[in-house]
């Protein structure tokens, strides 16, 4: 779609909106925020979303009952104007807003108004298997074993969810057990509310969010989100939100190309610098960071993200713990960190799946986990492999490593293959693909070892450890394994994981989660590579953009405005 077509559409949008009650607009409203993403969204139904990039894009379109505050990740009401927690955390009562409408694509206003029936439809739809008998992400991550009656409804043993009650604008959810993070889980995009009146796939994504995606602005190269003129939120001065006219998600995975776009101001933010250009960007453009007002702002802190490889546990070779331990011991992560990542990480993978953020996860026994993890020790690796019956890799056969192609992941895959062959005598055939294809191959088991990363859905070790919970492995091997990609089952891990999620005290939850991770690393289905600490650079004229450890993009209050020197000095004096 050309810029001219988009401009015409925006004018029409403003004209249509002008026919109704006028909303006060901020004097700086308008403009476009642009960012690169590695792929298009992988699915359109919110209940199925368990992918970060998809959530990043469609999180502008769909909303849930509650949401994360981007400043501090506290929980705030969203489609619910308020909520109450009763009966010692077993009952949640939400009062819906009365001013929320689903996006306008030709339906009458009365049809588009958010009601309790939409919430009921959304949760019931999430708690049904799909046409291939697979569970939704919302059911697996949020409602299964937690919402009263959800399991029976999913299995077809009941025609209603007993713990879900709707009365006017009141929505009540009754839980089977206390869940410390239930509101955080409800804040995930997989729990976003959809309309019970627009259930057909029309090619249009209909949500309640600040932006809309129209088919004509959704291409293979770029997804343009258009301002929702009926959005219900306002700033403290009564100005309508969102401020931006459009948000652009440009599909580009190569970091060097992203940096070119950034330097040419085609995008406003870049996350993760190409390693070959770090010195040039930081030292060569130091004035752009230090001037008053600065042109650029650098953000560099730890994220709730772990990059790792995982084994396909249906491969008989990897069912032997010693083989997986040998692979872990044969990887020189320091070399990868220095030569490929160029120290662009928070810490190398010398712990487990949970990032070692000790200030955030107080009471978590990271030191005990670390005792059972794997530093580079090729001699021990070869000994373990020989004990498993494969001396110097004899009779092991080749291994296929699946990864999505980009500058870093391609270089890491190449280095991993060299190291495994050098230390274990095993040939690793690297098979790069698009992110979309890799995601599909992971859940179908099409490969031997897979590259992936997990970004926490909420700040709790559970969000990482659930990736290896045995209850998420389908009994039918032909079904997709949507959460536990490796199809890993370890009774000792599961026992401690279940103790943790059933504990009512934070100290007990942290204790059992860390014990679960100890068992995970004794019998490792993964190779932790690094914990993310990417450098992010954003143009300083992008206002109200908040960095957070979940990498959430909340763009409702973001706007673009150049700073004057006087204004910037006044702003700094207030801080």
């Amino acid at each position: 779609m050309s810029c001219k077509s988009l401009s015409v559409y925006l004018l029409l949008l403003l004209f249509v909106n002008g026919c109704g009650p006028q909303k006060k607009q901020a004097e700086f409203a308008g403009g476009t925020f642009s960012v690169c993403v590695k792929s298009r969204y992988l699915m359109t139904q919110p209940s199925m979303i368990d992918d970060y990039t998809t959530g990043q894009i469609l999180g502008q379109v769909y909303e849930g009952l509650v949401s994360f505050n981007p400043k501090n990740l506290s929980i705030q009401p969203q489609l619910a104007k308020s909520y109450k927690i009763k009966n010692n955390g077993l009952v949640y009562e939400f009062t819906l807003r009365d001013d929320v409408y689903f996006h306008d694509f030709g339906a009458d206003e009365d049809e588009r108004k958010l009601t309790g029936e939409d919430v009921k439809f959304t949760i019931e739809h999430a708690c049904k298997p799909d046409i291939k008998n697979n569970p939704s992400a919302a059911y697996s991550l949020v409602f299964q074993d937690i919402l009263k009656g959800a399991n029976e409804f999913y299995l077809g043993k009941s025609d209603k969810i007993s713990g879900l009650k709707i009365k006017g604008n009141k929505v009540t959810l009754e839980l089977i057990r206390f869940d410390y993070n239930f509101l955080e889980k409800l804040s995930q995009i997989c729990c976003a509310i959809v309309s019970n009146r627009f259930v057909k796939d029309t090619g249009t994504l209909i949500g309640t969010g600040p932006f809309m995606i129209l088919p004509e602005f959704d291409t293979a190269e770029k997804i343009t989100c258009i301002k929702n003129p009926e959005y219900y939120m306002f700033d403290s001065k009564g100005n309508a939100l969102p401020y931006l006219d459009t948000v652009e998600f440009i599909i580009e995975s190569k970091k060097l190309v992203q940096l070119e776009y950034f330097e040419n101001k085609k995008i406003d933010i870049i996350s993760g610098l190409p390693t070959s250009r770090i010195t040039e960007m930081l030292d060569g453009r130091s004035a752009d960071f230090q001037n008053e007002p600065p042109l650029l702002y650098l953000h560099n802190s730890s994220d709730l993200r772990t990059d790792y490889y995982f084994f396909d546990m249906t491969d008989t070779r990897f069912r032997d713990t010693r083989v997986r331990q040998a692979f872990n011991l044969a990887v020189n992560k320091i070399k990868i960190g220095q030569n490929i990542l160029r120290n662009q990480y928070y810490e190398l993978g010398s712990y487990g799946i949970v990032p070692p953020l000790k200030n955030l996860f107080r009471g978590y026994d990271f030191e005990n986990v670390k005792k059972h993890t794997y530093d580079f020790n090729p001699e021990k690796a070869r000994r373990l492999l020989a004990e498993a019956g494969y001396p110097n890799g004899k009779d092991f056969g080749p291994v296929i490593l699946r990864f999505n192609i980009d500058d870093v992941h391609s270089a890491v895959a190449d280095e991993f293959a060299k190291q495994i062959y050098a230390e274990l005598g095993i040939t690793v055939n690297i098979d790069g693909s698009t992110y979309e294809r890799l995601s599909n191959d992971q859940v179908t088991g099409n490969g031997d070892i897979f590259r992936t990363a997990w970004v926490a859905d909420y700040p709790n070790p559970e969000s990482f450890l659930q990736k290896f919970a045995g209850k998420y492995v389908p009994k039918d091997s032909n079904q997709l394994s949507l959460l536990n990609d490796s199809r890993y089952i370890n009774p000792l891990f599961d026992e401690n994981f279940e103790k943790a999620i059933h504990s009512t005290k934070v100290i007990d939850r942290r204790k059992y989660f860390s014990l679960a991770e100890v068992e995970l690393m004794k019998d490792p289905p993964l190779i932790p590579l690094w914990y993310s600490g990417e450098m992010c650079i954003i143009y300083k004229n992008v206002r109200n953009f908040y960095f957070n450890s979940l990498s959430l993009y909340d763009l409702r209050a973001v706007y673009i405005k150049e700073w004057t020197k006087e204004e910037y000095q006044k702003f700094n004096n207030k801080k």
Side-chain angles (χ1 to χ4, degrees), residues 356-543:
L357 302 176
K358 299 173 185 178
N359 290 332
L360 179 62
F361 299 142
R362 294 183 183 277
Y364 197 86
D365 196 349
F366 284 108
E367 293 312 308
N368 193 25
V369 173
K370 186 176 176 63
K371 290 176 185 176
H372 296 89
T373 53
Y374 306 89
D375 294 325
F376 182 52
N377 190 335
E379 182 179 342
K380 185 176 180 181
R382 287 189 287 270
R383 185 173 72 248
L384 285 170
L385 193 65
E387 290 175 6
Y390 306 105
N392 298 315
K394 183 181 178 183
D395 298 326
F396 194 85
V399 170
I400 298 174
L401 169 64
R402 301 298 323 287
F403 66 98
N404 56 298
I405 297 172
D406 78 0
D407 312 53
V408 170
H409 302 318
S410 300
V412 172
D414 185 59
E415 178 62 26
F416 175 80
K418 291 176 181 176
Q419 292 184 13
I420 295 299
Y421 184 76
E423 308 303 344
L424 300 181
I426 294 173
T427 299
V428 176
N429 295 320
I430 59 175
D431 184 6
S433 67
T434 63
Y435 180 75
E436 294 91 334
R437 182 186 154 197
L438 175 64
S439 298
N440 181 70
D441 288 340
Q442 286 174 345
V443 298
T444 58
N446 184 21
D448 302 320
I449 302 177
F450 299 85
R451 176 268 150 195
T452 193
W454 186 252
V455 182
D457 296 309
Y458 47 95
N460 190 293
E462 179 185 0
S463 187
F464 290 94
L465 293 169
Q466 66 191 357
K467 290 290 292 178
F468 300 99
K471 65 183 178 181
Y472 296 127
V473 178
K475 291 177 179 165
D476 184 351
S477 61
N478 293 317
Q479 279 186 264
L480 304 181
S481 192
L482 296 172
L483 185 60
N484 187 337
D485 311 65
S486 65
R487 299 179 188 255
Y488 175 76
I489 299 176
N490 179 332
L492 290 175
F493 171 88
D494 289 339
E495 179 184 343
N496 284 294
F497 182 80
E498 289 298 318
K499 284 181 180 179
I501 64 176
H502 284 86
S503 297
T504 57
K505 296 181 179 179
V506 173
I507 190 170
D508 290 336
R509 284 195 296 276
R510 297 283 164 84
K511 169 188 171 183
Y512 287 118
F513 278 138
S514 57
L515 287 174
E517 189 163 24
V518 166
E519 295 302 329
L520 183 74
M521 297 315 297
K522 287 180 181 177
D523 179 44
L526 76 158
I527 303 173
L529 295 173
W530 69 86
Y531 310 102
S532 183
E534 291 182 328
M535 298 175 186
C536 300
I537 301 179
I538 189 169
Y539 281 99
K540 192 63 180 178
N541 64 349
V542 178
R543 313 263 190 119

Side-chain angles (χ1 to χ4, degrees), residues 92-338:
Y92 289 74
E93 183 182 275
F94 302 89
T95 301
L96 297 179
R97 300 180 64 110
D98 59 4
D99 55 354
V100 178
Y101 292 86
F102 288 94
H103 296 157
D104 184 3
F105 294 112
D108 293 336
E109 190 174 271
D110 289 344
E111 285 187 285
R112 296 189 293 106
K113 188 167 185 178
L114 172 72
T115 70
E117 290 303 311
D118 297 309
V119 180
K120 179 175 182 288
F121 169 80
T122 297
I123 295 177
E124 287 183 344
H125 181 72
C127 293
K128 292 178 180 177
D130 67 11
I131 57 174
K132 294 183 179 179
N133 207 34
N134 294 310
S136 70
Y139 178 71
S140 297
L141 294 171
V142 183
F143 300 121
Q144 183 182 15
D145 299 333
I146 297 178
L147 179 61
K148 187 177 180 180
N151 290 23
E152 292 80 3
F153 185 81
Y154 179 84
L155 295 171
K157 296 179 178 179
S158 175
D159 60 358
K160 66 178 182 179
I161 300 174
S162 58
L164 170 62
K165 302 248 182 342
I166 306 295
K167 187 175 181 180
N169 69 339
K170 302 283 187 184
V171 176
T172 302
L173 301 179
E174 183 179 355
L175 309 188
I176 299 170
R177 61 173 175 82
F178 172 77
D179 187 325
Y180 182 78
N181 289 112
F182 185 65
L183 287 175
E184 283 82 357
K185 292 176 181 178
L186 280 183
S187 300
Q188 298 177 56
I189 189 172
C190 65
C191 292
I193 305 303
V194 296
S195 172
N196 72 327
R197 296 170 295 283
F198 306 113
V199 295
K200 293 182 179 179
D201 185 4
T202 61
T204 302
L205 305 171
I206 301 176
T208 60
F211 298 96
M212 307 180 293
I213 297 178
L214 276 66
E216 55 264 44
F217 302 127
D218 184 354
T219 69
E221 295 79 27
K222 181 171 67 176
I223 299 165
T224 301
C225 303
I226 311 297
K227 177 177 183 174
N228 174 11
E230 295 182 314
Y231 195 58
Y232 55 89
M233 291 189 70
F234 297 85
D235 67 15
S236 60
K237 296 180 180 180
N239 295 310
L241 296 177
Y243 299 131
L244 295 166
D245 283 337
T246 54
V247 175
E248 290 182 340
F249 292 98
I250 299 171
I251 317 301
E252 178 53 66
S253 63
K254 296 182 178 64
K255 290 296 183 183
L256 282 170
V257 178
Q258 289 184 17
L259 182 58
E260 178 186 343
Y261 288 169
F262 182 77
E263 292 180 315
N264 292 327
K265 297 188 177 181
K266 187 175 180 180
I267 59 175
D268 297 286
I269 184 173
I270 181 168
S271 297
L273 296 178
T275 54
S276 61
R277 297 285 300 279
I278 291 175
T279 301
E280 178 184 341
M281 278 298 295
L282 300 187
D283 295 341
R285 299 189 61 174
S286 59
D288 289 335
F289 296 96
Q290 297 169 5
N291 286 340
E292 287 199 5
L295 176 66
L296 303 173
Y297 171 75
L298 172 67
H299 174 80
N300 188 11
S301 67
S302 55
D303 296 327
L304 281 166
R305 165 178 164 154
T306 301
D307 282 76
Y308 62 98
Y309 288 167
F310 69 84
F311 302 97
D312 175 15
M313 296 298 293
T314 66
D315 188 320
T316 55
R317 297 172 296 178
F318 294 132
R319 290 178 186 169
D320 191 318
T321 302
R322 294 168 297 184
V323 170
R324 288 176 272 123
Q325 290 175 333
F327 270 76
N328 269 274
L329 291 163
V331 179
N332 188 337
K333 298 169 189 174
I334 294 176
K335 187 174 182 181
I336 290 173
Q338 292 177 345

Side-chain angles (χ1 to χ4, degrees), residues 18-31:
C19 296
Q22 292 294 302
K23 291 183 176 182
K24 180 183 174 184
Q25 302 291 325
E27 53 89 14
F28 48 75

Side-chain angles (χ1 to χ4, degrees), residues 9-39:
Y9 176 81
L10 288 171
L11 287 172
L12 288 172
L13 193 63
L14 290 171
F15 173 76
V16 172
N17 190 44
C19 296
Q22 292 294 302
K23 291 183 176 182
K24 180 183 174 184
Q25 302 291 325
E27 53 89 14
F28 48 75
T32 298
F33 175 85
S34 300
V35 61
C36 282
V37 290
K38 59 187 173 185
S39 76

